[in-house]
Amino acid sequence: MVTKSEEDQLNRLEAQVDNAGGGAWEYLCLVRKLKVRRPDKVLKHGLAILNDSKKRSALGTEEWTLCEQVAVAAMDCQSLDVAKDCIKVLRKRFPDSKRVGRLEGMLLEAKGLWAEAEKAYSSFLEDNPFDQVIHKRRVALAKAQGNITTAIECLNKYLDTFMADHDAWRELAEIYISLQMYKQAAFCYEELILSQPTNPLHHLAYADVLYTIGGLENLQAAKKYYASTINLTGGKNRRALFGVCLCTSAIGQLSKGRNKEDKDSPELQLLAVAALEKDYKQRAPGKLPLLTSALKSLRVSS
């Protein structure tokens, strides 16, 4: 996941390249390092280097890395002729490369040749059942065709083998949420929290799912995970602060004031309200009356 400082660095370098024309290679290297997608910029600046014989020869073996990067960006931008040319160059240089074969499969996807792409990926998996990239391409292929059931099946099969892939668990959770399969999504976030217990985004997403499912037990658990999100972010996550207030209100309505846990420990919601009021006073003082009104409607206030 890209940090704020890394994103700022990338944006500064992008502005530098756009305005002054220098630093294109450094920018492309940073895009690869951070694993972000800026296909239009990659295509523009990558082609500028590849079409300049002097700059291209100065890359040495990195020329092939750039060819691959531009090919993927070209497919994202539907510049399929450019992608085809890049892949053709790579195939000539690496005639037996499975990596180039994956690019050819992606080009089939980009052209909408789903059956041919699936056939190519299945062939790759027969040779190497542990090729993570190909497994993920099959998931992407199913999603592109709107076949969400197959995408879920592919992801579950993939996670049976690669259980430590956090991105796959997160993608599966998001698919389940889109289908309103919240219990299945909750399981995915539980796996993520077990493997990355200090990542506040997992705690927050899990709390959101539990709150959506509802019921007294789930609301109490959601409140705890909103609290852990606040703790992990130093009290700076407004969504989690609002989550505590929402859970407090919902628990109060369901338990009708008889829930001992919330009667005996009101500190959390009071701290959440105070933190929200402080934040709004600093950032958006004009909207403070709206916040106060919203909190009163939830029957939580400082």
Side-chain angles (χ1 to χ4, degrees), residues 1-236:
M1 190 169 295
V2 180
T3 65
K4 183 67 167 61
S5 61
E6 289 172 334
E7 186 176 356
D8 289 343
Q9 180 188 1
L10 184 63
N11 289 334
R12 284 196 301 270
L13 193 52
E14 184 176 294
Q16 175 188 325
V17 176
D18 287 340
N19 295 330
W25 174 245
E26 290 76 11
Y27 171 75
L28 294 167
C29 289
L30 186 58
V31 168
R32 286 201 305 273
K33 178 184 176 183
L34 299 181
K35 298 180 180 179
V36 295
R37 300 185 81 142
R38 304 282 179 94
D40 54 334
K41 300 294 184 180
V42 169
L43 184 59
K44 176 184 175 181
H45 300 309
L47 276 179
I49 294 175
L50 291 176
N51 291 333
D52 186 317
S53 58
K54 186 177 179 180
K55 292 180 179 179
R56 182 169 182 162
S57 61
L59 295 178
T61 56
E62 292 287 355
E63 173 188 346
W64 315 116
T65 302
L66 181 57
C67 270
E68 180 183 37
Q69 187 178 11
V70 170
V72 174
M75 285 185 272
D76 282 346
C77 295
Q78 280 296 301
S79 298
L80 301 186
D81 289 338
V82 174
K84 183 180 178 181
D85 290 342
C86 289
I87 294 171
K88 185 177 179 180
V89 169
L90 289 167
R91 176 55 74 194
K92 184 177 180 180
R93 178 63 179 81
F94 306 102
D96 300 318
S97 171
K98 298 292 184 184
R99 188 161 175 165
V100 177
R102 289 199 294 262
L103 289 174
E104 291 169 339
M106 291 170 65
L107 184 58
L108 291 172
E109 285 186 65
K111 292 178 177 179
L113 302 174
W114 314 120
E116 293 180 32
E118 174 62 33
K119 183 179 178 180
Y121 292 150
S122 297
S123 176
F124 285 132
L125 289 176
E126 286 178 8
D127 295 335
N128 180 13
F130 302 104
D131 190 324
Q132 290 180 265
V133 175
I134 294 299
H135 278 288
K136 290 183 177 182
R137 290 314 317 164
R138 293 189 72 197
V139 174
L141 184 63
K143 289 175 69 176
Q145 297 176 83
N147 195 341
I148 304 302
T149 300
T150 300
I152 291 173
E153 290 174 357
C154 290
L155 271 172
N156 277 307
K157 184 178 179 181
Y158 171 80
L159 286 166
D160 285 340
T161 305
F162 304 102
M163 291 177 284
D165 191 325
H166 307 131
D167 290 334
W169 280 113
R170 189 162 53 248
E171 182 174 6
L172 183 58
E174 290 170 359
I175 292 175
Y176 281 139
I177 288 172
S178 72
L179 298 174
Q180 300 183 12
M181 299 172 69
Y182 298 115
K183 291 183 179 179
Q184 292 85 342
F187 175 80
C188 296
Y189 286 122
E190 287 165 3
E191 291 291 328
L192 284 167
I193 291 171
L194 283 171
S195 60
Q196 292 184 310
T198 59
N199 188 326
L201 295 179
H202 301 333
H203 290 250
L204 180 61
Y206 185 47
D208 285 343
V209 170
L210 290 173
Y211 178 82
T212 303
I213 294 173
L216 187 58
E217 185 177 339
N218 287 321
L219 288 169
Q220 289 170 343
K223 186 175 178 180
K224 290 177 181 177
Y225 279 95
Y226 282 129
S228 66
T229 303
I230 294 169
N231 183 49
L232 289 168
T233 57
K236 296 179 180 179

Side-chain angles (χ1 to χ4, degrees), residues 247-260:
C247 286
T248 298
S249 175
I251 290 169
Q253 292 178 35
L254 286 177
S255 61
K256 301 186 185 303
R258 294 193 298 270
N259 187 264
K260 187 176 184 298

Side-chain angles (χ1 to χ4, degrees), residues 235-268:
K236 296 179 180 179
N237 190 296
R238 286 190 293 277
R239 186 181 182 92
L241 291 168
F242 274 114
V244 166
C245 297
L246 287 167
C247 286
T248 298
S249 175
I251 290 169
Q253 292 178 35
L254 286 177
S255 61
K256 301 186 185 303
R258 294 193 298 270
N259 187 264
K260 187 176 184 298
E261 178 183 339
D262 273 70
K263 280 180 66 179
D264 293 346
S265 53
E267 295 88 357
L268 180 59

